[in-house]
Structures are given as structure tokens and as C-alpha cells.
């Protein structure tokens, strides 16, 4: 399974570990993802999504149905 947020589309970034002697080695910055179940009242069903912490905050603020409509408009979900 890929580490991509299903609402915002965030995925891992890549950068460098820099030591004291300024040796650079590649590293990866993973997204803060969690698997959550949401109840959609309009469709009368439960949906399980992998969402980032930022997406959870926007879901708490706007509501799951509004966030899903935005994600569909941006082409991130079906």
C-alpha cells in the first residue's frame, strides 16, 4: 500500500541527512497518515480512508461530505 493521503494527495518527500561533518545521505520524509472510518449520512454508509493529520483537521472543520466533494472536484478520489 502506498503512503498517500486519499483526501489531500500528500505523499513522501525526499531530502538529505546532514551529519556534523556535512556528509549527505538520502532520506525520506513520510506523511503523517492514519486509517480512519467516517460515516457519510447522505449515502448512509461507512467509509475507511487513509488520511493525513492535516486532512483530519479539515474534516473536523468542514465535515466529511464537503471535503469528499472537494477531493472529487480535484480528481483525488472516485
Amino acid at each position: 500500500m502506498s503512503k498517500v493521503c486519499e483526501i489531500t494527495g500528500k505523499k513522501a518527500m525526499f531530502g538529505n541527512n546532514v551529519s556534523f561533518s556535512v556528509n549527505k545521505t538520502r532520506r525520506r520524509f513520510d506523511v503523517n497518515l492514519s486509517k480512519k472510518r467516517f460515516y457519510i449520512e447522505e449515502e448512509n454508509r461507512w467509509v475507511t480512508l487513509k488520511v493525513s493529520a492535516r486532512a483530519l483537521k479539515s474534516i473536523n472543520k468542514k465535515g466529511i461530505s464537503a471535503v469528499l466533494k472537494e477531493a472529487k472536484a480535484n480528481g483525488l478520489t472516485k
Side-chain angles (χ1 to χ4, degrees), residues 13-28:
M13 292 183 356
F14 294 90
N16 289 319
N17 275 328
V18 182
S19 67
F20 179 73
S21 58
V22 197
N23 293 327
K24 295 178 178 76
T25 56
R26 296 303 280 177
R27 65 160 290 182
R28 133 184 206 143

Side-chain angles (χ1 to χ4, degrees), residues 52-63 67:
S52 62
R54 179 180 171 187
L56 266 178
K57 287 176 77 174
S58 63
I59 288 170
N60 286 337
K61 183 177 181 181
K62 300 176 188 175
V67 173

Side-chain angles (χ1 to χ4, degrees), residues 20-78:
F20 179 73
S21 58
V22 197
N23 293 327
K24 295 178 178 76
T25 56
R26 296 303 280 177
R27 65 160 290 182
R28 133 184 206 143
F29 297 92
D30 285 327
V31 184
N32 186 9
L33 288 180
S34 59
K35 207 171 188 181
K36 295 290 284 186
R37 265 177 89 215
F38 299 101
Y39 183 72
I40 304 172
E41 290 185 20
E42 292 82 27
E43 300 176 13
N44 197 23
R45 68 185 181 114
W46 288 91
V47 176
T48 303
L49 297 172
K50 266 198 300 186
V51 293
S52 62
R54 179 180 171 187
L56 266 178
K57 287 176 77 174
S58 63
I59 288 170
N60 286 337
K61 183 177 181 181
K62 300 176 188 175
I64 184 65
S65 56
V67 173
L68 281 175
K69 285 178 188 173
E70 287 179 16
K72 285 180 186 176
N74 293 336
L76 294 170
T77 59
K78 295 179 184 176

